[in-house]
Amino acid sequence: MSSYSMTHLKQLEQESIHVIREVVAEFRNPVMLYSVGKDSAVMVRLAQKAFHPGRFPFPLMHVDTGYKFQEMYDFRDSFTASIGARLIVEGNTAAQQQGSHPTRIGNDKCCQLLKTRALLDGLAKHGFDAAFGGARRDEEKSRAKERFFSVRDEFGQWDPKNQRPELWNLYNADIDEKESVRVFPLSNWTELDVWQYIKLEDIPLVPLYFSALRPTVELGGIMIPYEHADVVDPDGKLGLTPDKVKDVRCRFRSLGCIPCTGAVESDAETIDDIIAEVVAARRSERENRVIDLTSDSSMEQKKREGYF
């Protein structure tokens, strides 16, 4: 009798593909949330493989705050067009036009308006009953509490103390009228798994993930590329002056809104370099994401309100 074994990456791939297929089989109108980051890139590849050679069976939805890096917009548009995906872009334009910004209304309020509200309105507008997200349990403690299928109430809110059990690979897709689910196919992946899979599958990424010499300024321990100083501090109140600029080799370990995302010092110019860096890392990949730092429970509170 011949034996059959899979690498841990293949096991993770098969688990995620099973989850994605289960959602398409069980739900009426699913959507995949697309942040343009590395986890989204892996999710898209898994969805492609899940239904190959068929067409992508659901749209991608990008919740745009208006504060993303231009490299992300460029990559989003070219990549989604290249794979023939239907891209939906949603945002809270009223809040954007009113000038909502972390320095004016605070990080939590800005995030609630530009991300959570925009997400909930976008899901309701299109009638989506299931939304894939790229969150992983190793990223942050509140994300470790999420199930693969995580039910949201009629207001899109999450109760971490009232979740359904998931036995092995048996998922409960029954929801009541007006409820929905968030689905996390990458729950069991780590940052290292993601990078190893990107290498294995040769998945294209936004160049910001790779090291380059960038003029930077430091703000509250966060390294900010100086070219974006006007986005970080639109009212010129934080003292980001040219005399404080230093040229630093750096990259972004995770990507989000410019005002809330810092770079890390790095010489990693290739996927192999990044994998070696992740293996040696002793700090969270979200160490430079300001939205995680406002309080010990900031992310869980955001998720309770309907955040990603």
Side-chain angles (χ1 to χ4, degrees):
M1 177 182 293
S2 62
S3 62
Y4 178 74
S5 63
M6 291 190 290
T7 65
H8 83 285
L9 282 181
K10 280 297 178 185
Q11 291 182 29
L12 289 170
E13 178 190 69
Q14 292 304 306
E15 179 181 64
S16 300
I17 285 176
H18 172 67
V19 170
I20 293 170
R21 287 174 173 164
E22 191 77 359
V23 169
V24 172
E26 295 285 349
F27 289 90
R28 174 180 48 81
N29 189 19
V31 65
M32 181 168 280
L33 304 178
Y34 181 62
S35 71
V36 203
K38 63 185 186 302
D39 302 303
S40 284
V42 169
M43 270 208 308
V44 169
R45 176 58 55 88
L46 291 167
Q48 288 176 302
K49 297 184 80 167
F51 302 103
H52 179 79
R55 292 186 60 189
F56 220 76
F58 37 72
L60 302 177
M61 187 167 88
H62 180 216
V63 176
D64 183 14
T65 62
Y67 291 130
K68 303 298 183 182
F69 296 87
Q70 186 58 48
E71 293 93 330
M72 295 176 70
Y73 292 122
D74 294 342
F75 183 88
R76 178 196 70 185
D77 294 340
S78 63
F79 175 69
T80 54
S82 73
I83 65 172
R86 177 188 167 205
L87 175 67
I88 297 171
V89 179
E90 293 291 346
N92 187 343
T93 52
Q96 291 176 17
Q97 290 169 357
Q98 290 168 6
S100 296
H101 188 278
T103 60
R104 295 168 181 155
I105 60 175
N107 292 317
D108 290 345
K109 183 64 176 178
C110 186
C111 205
Q112 196 279 328
L113 289 173
L114 298 187
K115 299 180 86 172
T116 303
R117 189 69 266 156
L119 169 64
L120 296 178
D121 288 348
L123 294 175
K125 174 182 174 183
H126 297 280
F128 294 125
D129 57 352
F132 294 101
R136 295 178 278 106
R137 289 176 176 140
D138 79 320
E139 281 184 278
E140 186 274 333
K141 55 189 177 185
S142 71
R143 286 178 164 150
K145 298 179 182 179
E146 294 268 22
R147 301 290 196 265
F148 279 101
F149 282 44
S150 195
V151 178
R152 297 308 197 253
D153 68 16
E154 61 181 301
F155 304 107
Q157 296 176 335
W158 176 57
D159 182 358
K161 295 182 178 178
N162 185 26
Q163 299 196 82
R164 295 169 172 173
E166 290 184 337
L167 306 177
W168 301 285
N169 61 348
L170 301 176
Y171 306 116
N172 186 343
D174 286 336
I175 56 174
D176 293 330
E177 187 72 20
K178 296 184 179 179
E179 284 184 338
S180 62
V181 297
R182 304 287 174 83
V183 186
F184 302 102
L186 305 184
S187 284
N188 287 337
W189 295 58
T190 66
E191 182 187 14
L192 181 59
D193 295 328
V194 166
W195 281 109
Q196 289 176 327
Y197 192 72
I198 287 170
K199 174 180 170 61
L200 179 69
E201 292 286 321
D202 193 21
I203 297 174
L205 289 174
V206 182
L208 292 166
Y209 279 117
F210 300 94
S211 176
L213 189 64
R214 297 180 169 99
T216 68
V217 291
E218 186 174 315
L219 178 65
I222 304 292
M223 187 190 305
I224 299 164
Y226 186 68
E227 62 179 314
H228 302 301
D230 60 330
V231 182
V232 175
D233 182 21
D235 302 320
K237 297 179 179 178
L238 301 178
L240 302 179
T241 53
D243 60 300
K244 297 178 181 177
V245 175
K246 296 180 180 177
D247 290 334
V248 178
R249 292 198 64 79
C250 59
R251 71 180 188 89
F252 290 88
R253 200 171 164 193
S254 70
L255 290 175
C257 295
I258 292 172
C260 296
T261 305
V264 294
E265 287 194 55
S266 171
D267 293 320
E269 297 179 340
T270 67
I271 299 289
D272 285 333
D273 293 340
I274 293 175
I275 289 173
E277 197 174 86
V278 171
V279 169
R282 293 294 179 267
R283 300 186 66 176
S284 165
E285 70 188 278
R286 296 182 67 91
E287 61 179 297
N288 281 15
R289 294 292 293 273
V290 175
I291 61 170
D292 288 14
L293 307 178
T294 51
S295 74
D296 287 343
S297 60
S298 59
M299 180 57 76
E300 180 163 324
Q301 184 57 39
K302 289 183 180 68
K303 289 177 72 66
R304 283 173 180 266
E305 295 168 355
Y307 189 75
F308 298 83

